[in-house]
Amino acid sequence: MARRTTAPDEDFEEHIVDIDVRDEMRSSYLEYAYSVIYSRALPDARDGLKPVQRRILYTMNDMGVRPDRGHVKSARVVGEVMGRLHPHGDGAIYDALVRMVQPWALRLPLVDGHGNFGSPDDPPAAMRYSECRMAPAALPMTAGIDEDTVDFKPNYDSRELEPAVLPAAFPNLLVNGASGIAVGMATNMAPHNLVEVVQALRHLVASPQASLDDLMRFIPGPDLPTGGKIIGLDGIRDAYQTGRGSFRIRASARIETVTPRRKGIVVTELPYNVGPERVIERIKSLVQAKKLQGIADVKDLTDRTKGLQLVIEVKNGFHPEALLEQLYRQTPMEEVFGINAVALVDGQPRTLGLKPLLEVYLQHRYDVVRRRSAFRRAKAADRLHLVDGLLIAILDIDEVIQLIRSSDNADQARSRLITVFDLSETQATYILDMPLRRLTKFSKLELESEKAQLERTIEELTAVLDDESRLRQMVADELAEVATQHGTPRRTVLLESAAQPVSAAVPLEVANDPCFVLLSSAGLLARTSNDTPLPAGGARAKHDVVVSVAAATARGSVGVLTSAGRLVRLGVLDMPTLPATAAAPHLQGGAPVTEFVALEPGERVVAVTSLTADSLGVMVGTAGGVVKRVQPEVLTNKDSWPVIRLEPHDEVVGAVELKAGHEQLVFVTSDAQLLHFSVAAVRAQGRAGGGIAGVRLARDARVRFFGALRLADDNVVVTVSGSSSALPGTEAGSVKVTPLSEYPAKGRATGGVRCHRFLRGEDILLTAYVGPAPVRAAAASGAPVDLPEQVGRRDGSGTPAPQPIAAFSGPRGG
């Protein structure tokens, strides 16, 4: 290789120097590697800062951009750093400043930003738009820097001095972590909790021979800015022991009902250095590649009030728990963090475990406190020397004034003061420069008090410098004070190991198991998670009651019958699932039926029914006293169709699926007539049929209840009477409970027998129920209503109800 050197003057000859290319490449590469390792990529183990970060904090401290001052343009800070100390571009400086602002990057941010400093997925605004100042945590990093606590070195052009390291009153390297890629080496360190690290340091101060296990009692593991869960602690111990190790970080998520018809996975914390957009993109790519099933939608609802809110909606028919396990396995919701604790120690890169890192930092703080104490003692001693001279001068103030007045110039006065009063040159100069207002009796008292204070300060600082134990205790106390001011609770949960994967026990897709679909009096739909109907008994709570139950399968369909005589097919998977441990006949967590069925004005859902081929049919009763037996083939047709032709102003008041084929049909009318007869008296009709007469109604009477029941059950009749002139839902009325056995059966289309005697002011039955005991009642608000004891008189009057009753439920619902 030939290197050509040409002088600027044409009279000089050209010089060509032959250089071996291997030597040139070797020296150039080593210079570049040295520059990257020591001046850019690796942090110092003492203050945990890279050179650019240190220069930013030092410059902001010099500029006075403190937490109690206003923000300044980030471009101003970057320009100062670049012009004075950092021989690189403004982009690298601003990138470092931005990271020192971001609370998801640092556990304890060192710069307070104002404006757009980005997000885990988005870049920040340009430096001309954002503003910054020192964060409160940055003050301990630079505290005492003007007290000869650290060494200074020339900057890149040797015109200024910059600190080789900051005093760092807290262990920034462990608290905020670090990452960087040098030449042939890299560093990656996780953030930790300030309070835990300070506790470990104080323990190490008291017990320098402490083992790693002793220190890990205070620092069990990293504490990441974004929270999350750390799975497995073996890798953490390896990293603390050798400086190298890894651990898994898992997002924090919970399963919620995100819409009335769907469950979802709500992610509130993501792994360190993972943003929601990265997770969303990965989920979308997996769904498009058909490697991930069961996801309906992904929404990022993150804001400054709620924080991170990533909502993953789960399709009906899939288990959210099993899907969450797949998300952990296939997306960045679970990441591996590798620790490689490389930092500069005495100018050399070293891989350090937990205890060496703490020891290096403690030694730095010992040096800082020792140098600060020596500086303060020297400063106090200098001041004490001046105070002693002033006291001498004040004692003979008249002679001092006369001596100064009789001197030809300042130099002669200074010499005569030194000779006459035995003063030093410094004391004499200070006396000559002293204002006359200090030469008073009060000033003498002030000087004597100041002298005593200075002597105490010098004595205390000397004790610290002479006694190593006092020096160590001072360091420990200062660490505790910093932890008190800036410490925060732990955010990351540490788990010894991951829980047993749900997917091993729960399949991803919901099996087509038998279940029951439930309809409540408030119009809520839900399904059970097993093949057992809700049993009798259980707690009474503030809720509505189940009025209809239909057998189905999880992937099957049921029919919803409305008051307009329409039957609507619904998929069972779309309905929310009740827990298998539910023990009371009520519906908590159901979805409104209007989420599934579009109802016309005034139309309401009356019952749910099975749509199975072996069905015996459904009995439908109307307010006009009509009954119809719907054939099974009518129930298995299309998605929505009428099952009865209604007369004008008539509506369906009840519908019951036949179970055995020999049930008794029951009508209760508004004029307190009860009729029950065998279902055999009603023949099946097709879809166009309008039904047949079920009960003969008096003028203006309407059917209040229609149902089907088995005589073998312990059936009761519950009737509630009131006034027809009262507003609906405002009158409690009188309630009566009577055994059904008191009422004889009669033929179809007859008038029945009286079941309730009206009291004065009562002329109508408000509501009624006939079915197996025990019976539960609920008010319109959902509160349970106590019913009276049974009475044997079928035509007896009722007792006042505590509040208006809106619905009844038997032991099997409905």
Side-chain angles (χ1 to χ4, degrees):
M1 177 180 178
R3 176 181 294 171
R4 176 177 296 178
T5 60
T6 304
D9 193 338
E10 294 182 358
D11 295 337
F12 288 90
E13 295 182 359
E14 183 178 69
H15 295 281
I16 298 177
V17 181
D18 291 329
I19 300 176
D20 185 73
V21 67
R22 291 173 298 181
D23 295 338
E24 178 68 17
M25 292 295 293
R26 184 181 297 110
S27 62
S28 298
Y29 180 80
L30 289 176
E31 289 178 6
Y32 170 74
Y34 181 89
S35 172
V36 171
I37 291 172
Y38 299 102
S39 301
R40 290 168 61 184
L42 297 185
D44 194 294
R46 295 170 292 179
D47 61 5
L49 297 174
K50 299 178 184 179
V52 63
Q53 297 171 325
R54 186 179 303 114
R55 289 162 180 164
I56 289 172
L57 291 181
Y58 176 67
T59 301
M60 294 180 77
N61 183 68
D62 268 5
M63 294 171 62
V65 190
R66 299 176 178 272
D68 56 347
R69 308 283 180 86
H71 294 81
V72 300
K73 285 287 186 181
S74 300
R76 180 180 171 189
V77 175
V78 171
E80 283 289 314
V81 174
M82 182 172 60
R84 294 178 53 197
L85 306 175
H86 199 62
H88 299 283
D90 56 352
I93 301 173
Y94 186 55
D95 287 346
L97 187 147
V98 166
R99 180 175 173 80
M100 296 167 73
V101 172
Q102 295 172 337
W104 59 87
L106 299 186
R107 187 62 178 83
L108 199 61
L110 301 176
V111 177
D112 177 22
H114 182 69
N116 179 14
F117 279 88
S119 71
D121 296 303
D122 302 316
M127 60 180 137
R128 60 182 178 273
Y129 299 119
S130 62
E131 299 177 345
C132 64
R133 64 183 178 188
M134 296 178 72
L139 295 181
M141 293 293 295
T142 58
I145 196 169
D146 55 350
E147 294 181 300
D148 192 31
T149 53
V150 294
D151 293 331
F152 280 72
K153 62 181 181 181
N155 69 335
Y156 63 90
D157 60 2
S158 299
R159 295 184 180 181
E160 293 190 38
L161 294 177
E162 62 173 313
V165 65
L166 293 185
F170 69 88
N172 177 65
L173 185 59
L174 276 170
V175 172
N176 281 326
S179 63
I181 300 176
V183 178
M185 63 186 67
T187 184
N188 197 35
M189 302 181 66
H192 291 75
N193 187 274
L194 173 63
V195 176
E196 295 176 355
V197 176
V198 167
Q199 289 174 342
L201 285 169
R202 286 169 58 85
H203 179 74
L204 193 60
V205 168
S207 305
Q209 304 303 320
S211 64
L212 178 62
D213 291 334
D214 295 335
L215 297 177
M216 287 190 67
R217 288 192 295 110
F218 303 98
I219 309 177
D223 185 22
L224 307 174
T226 54
K229 302 173 183 176
I230 291 180
I231 309 297
L233 304 183
D234 293 340
I236 295 176
R237 179 177 176 79
D238 293 340
Y240 288 168
Q241 181 72 46
T242 65
R244 297 178 185 271
S246 63
F247 56 86
R248 287 184 294 152
I249 314 171
R250 175 172 287 188
S252 296
R254 61 179 182 268
I255 296 172
E256 296 181 356
T257 301
V258 294
T259 69
R261 300 176 61 175
R262 276 184 179 157
K263 288 187 176 293
I265 300 170
V266 180
V267 182
T268 56
E269 294 176 347
L270 285 173
Y272 187 45
N273 292 330
V274 174
E277 287 297 327
R278 180 178 162 194
V279 176
I280 293 173
E281 290 177 4
R282 179 59 177 166
I283 290 175
K284 288 182 177 179
S285 64
L286 289 173
V287 171
Q288 291 173 357
K290 297 184 179 180
K291 295 181 180 179
L292 189 62
Q293 297 180 345
I295 294 180
D297 193 11
V298 182
K299 300 176 182 177
D300 185 6
L301 304 181
T302 303
D303 58 29
R304 295 186 178 182
T305 303
K306 299 178 182 177
L308 178 65
Q309 288 279 105
L310 186 61
V311 180
I312 304 171
E313 292 187 11
V314 181
K315 290 181 179 179
N316 295 316
F318 291 85
H319 289 289
E321 298 82 2
L323 182 58
L324 180 58
E325 289 293 334
Q326 289 201 6
L327 290 172
Y328 284 143
R329 208 165 49 245
Q330 301 184 54
T331 71
M333 285 178 58
E334 182 172 296
E335 289 276 270
V336 175
F337 188 95
I339 294 179
N340 187 28
V342 178
L344 297 177
V345 179
D346 296 330
Q348 300 296 322
R350 286 180 52 191
T351 302
L352 302 171
L354 177 62
K355 185 175 181 180
L357 278 171
L358 297 175
E359 290 175 338
V360 169
Y361 173 76
L362 277 181
Q363 188 59 50
H364 172 60
R365 284 305 296 174
Y366 293 154
D367 293 341
V368 167
V369 174
R370 186 181 294 107
R371 293 178 61 165
R372 185 188 65 195
S373 299
F375 177 86
R376 291 177 177 177
R377 185 179 65 175
K379 192 172 182 180
D382 291 342
R383 178 60 185 171
L384 179 61
H385 182 63
L386 295 178
V387 169
D388 287 338
L390 289 174
L391 287 172
I392 293 174
I394 288 177
L395 290 175
D396 300 305
I397 188 61
D398 295 333
E399 186 176 352
V400 169
I401 294 174
Q402 180 62 35
L403 186 148
I404 295 174
R405 292 184 61 186
S406 62
S407 299
D408 295 334
N409 51 49
D411 291 338
Q412 184 182 14
R414 182 183 301 106
S415 301
R416 296 176 65 188
L417 285 174
I418 293 173
T419 303
V420 174
F421 296 101
D422 195 18
L423 300 175
S424 67
E425 184 176 352
T426 303
Q427 290 172 324
T429 301
Y430 188 75
I431 290 173
L432 289 174
D433 297 337
M434 181 178 59
L436 289 176
R437 65 176 179 271
R438 298 294 305 273
L439 303 178
T440 63
K441 293 183 179 180
F442 182 72
S443 295
K444 178 182 178 183
L445 298 177
E446 284 184 337
L447 290 173
E448 289 176 346
S449 175
E450 183 181 0
K451 178 180 179 180
Q453 180 62 39
L454 289 171
E455 288 174 345
R456 287 194 299 270
T457 300
I458 293 173
E459 182 181 356
E460 292 172 358
L461 293 173
T462 302
V464 170
L465 292 171
D466 293 343
D467 189 348
E468 189 70 18
S469 62
R470 295 192 62 173
L471 176 69
R472 298 165 70 93
Q473 186 59 45
M474 179 178 288
V475 170
D477 293 343
E478 291 179 357
L479 286 170
E481 182 179 354
V482 172
T484 301
Q485 293 176 353
H486 304 285
T488 55
R490 167 172 279 275
R491 299 175 186 172
T492 302
V493 177
L494 303 176
L495 301 177
E496 190 71 35
S497 61
Q500 185 69 22
V502 177
S503 57
V506 179
L508 179 61
E509 296 189 38
V510 175
N512 194 26
D513 295 329
C515 65
F516 283 84
V517 175
L518 313 174
L519 172 67
S520 78
S521 62
L524 300 179
L525 278 176
R527 62 183 173 94
T528 60
S529 58
N530 58 1
D531 59 353
T532 304
L534 295 177
R540 304 180 65 177
K542 184 174 181 179
H543 50 68
D544 55 345
V545 292
V546 174
V547 296
S548 184
V549 179
T553 58
R555 293 186 172 273
S557 302
V558 294
V560 174
L561 190 66
T562 73
S563 60
R566 276 197 310 144
L567 189 68
V568 182
R569 182 192 300 273
L570 296 181
V572 177
L573 271 179
D574 292 338
M575 302 176 188
T577 306
L578 294 181
T581 56
H586 59 81
L587 215 56
Q588 292 176 324
V593 71
T594 52
E595 291 284 334
F596 307 90
V597 182
L599 299 176
E600 297 295 331
E603 187 179 17
R604 56 188 176 84
V605 174
V606 175
V608 291
T609 180
S610 301
L611 297 179
T612 57
D614 57 350
S615 173
L616 297 177
V618 173
M619 301 304 301
V620 178
T622 73
V626 175
V627 62
K628 178 181 179 181
R629 183 171 182 172
V630 183
Q631 293 180 342
E633 58 267 21
V634 176
L635 300 176
T636 56
N637 203 321
K638 45 190 179 180
D639 290 339
S640 178
W641 63 98
V643 294
I644 185 174
R645 187 182 70 252
L646 294 174
E647 297 295 330
H649 308 296
D650 198 4
E651 66 175 0
V652 175
V653 296
V656 183
E657 183 179 358
L658 296 178
K659 305 295 184 182
H662 52 75
E663 290 90 343
Q664 289 280 306
L665 301 182
V666 183
F667 283 91
V668 181
T669 67
S670 60
D671 58 348
Q673 298 295 313
L674 183 147
L675 171 67
H676 67 92
F677 55 87
S678 174
V679 70
V682 183
R683 69 181 185 276
Q685 292 182 326
R687 182 187 306 171
I692 59 177
V695 61
R696 186 176 67 245
L697 296 176
R699 183 183 178 89
D700 297 330
R702 305 284 284 177
V703 173
R704 286 288 187 254
F705 172 83
F706 170 78
L709 48 87
R710 298 178 301 177
L711 292 178
D713 293 336
D714 182 18
N715 298 307
V716 295
V717 178
V718 184
T719 52
V720 182
S721 60
S723 173
S724 59
S725 61
L727 292 175
T730 61
E731 185 180 14
S734 301
V735 60
K736 179 172 73 76
V737 182
T738 311
L740 180 62
S741 58
E742 296 291 330
Y743 303 89
K746 297 183 69 175
R748 182 184 62 83
T750 62
V753 296
R754 187 167 63 178
C755 61
H756 195 107
R757 181 184 299 275
F758 295 134
L759 298 174
R760 178 176 297 179
E762 299 178 342
D763 60 356
I764 193 173
L765 280 188
L766 301 176
T767 184
Y769 171 83
V770 182
V775 181
R776 289 173 174 79
S781 64
V785 179
D786 293 328
L787 297 177
E789 297 293 332
Q790 295 186 24
V791 295
R793 293 181 57 190
R794 69 186 187 191
D795 62 344
S797 58
T799 59
Q803 57 182 311
I805 296 175
F808 297 97
S809 176
R812 290 184 293 273

